[in-house]
Amino acid sequence: MQSLNTVDQILNANSGRFDAQFHQGDALVIPTGYSKPVFKVTESEIFLLRADGSVWDEYDMPEDGDVVEYIEDLLSSIGL
């Protein structure tokens, strides 16, 4: 069985912490209760976004490959 790529992992996640939208080949992570994305997930990186959508910071992919859990941990670390 082939594992999902990072964008597909986020888009197919069943998380109570966030929703995701596909945008130009990437996944935008929108925390539950918010209207704007906080993270953009590409095939190789995770970007923390400012309110205007520009990149504020970037993160490497998790070594264990569990992007959904990593995003949930990042949301917790910033209080979301």
Side-chain angles (χ1 to χ4, degrees):
M1 181 175 152
Q2 183 178 3
S3 62
L4 295 174
N5 66 40
T6 55
V7 172
D8 287 339
Q9 283 183 49
I10 294 298
L11 293 173
N12 292 307
N14 186 13
S15 174
R17 305 284 311 273
F18 67 84
D19 291 318
Q21 294 179 350
F22 186 74
H23 180 72
Q24 297 180 348
D26 302 323
L28 299 178
V29 176
I30 304 166
T32 301
Y34 286 77
S35 61
K36 292 188 176 190
V38 173
F39 291 103
K40 177 173 79 172
V41 178
T42 70
E43 289 303 316
S44 59
E45 293 179 293
I46 298 169
F47 297 98
L48 177 62
L49 302 176
R50 292 183 172 101
D52 67 3
S54 64
V55 173
W56 183 17
D57 201 359
E58 63 184 77
Y59 301 88
D60 293 328
M61 287 294 168
E63 290 185 22
D64 67 1
D66 191 345
V67 179
V68 173
E69 182 179 348
Y70 189 58
I71 289 291
E72 289 175 338
D73 290 345
L74 288 171
L75 287 169
S76 292
S77 74
I78 60 173
L80 299 176

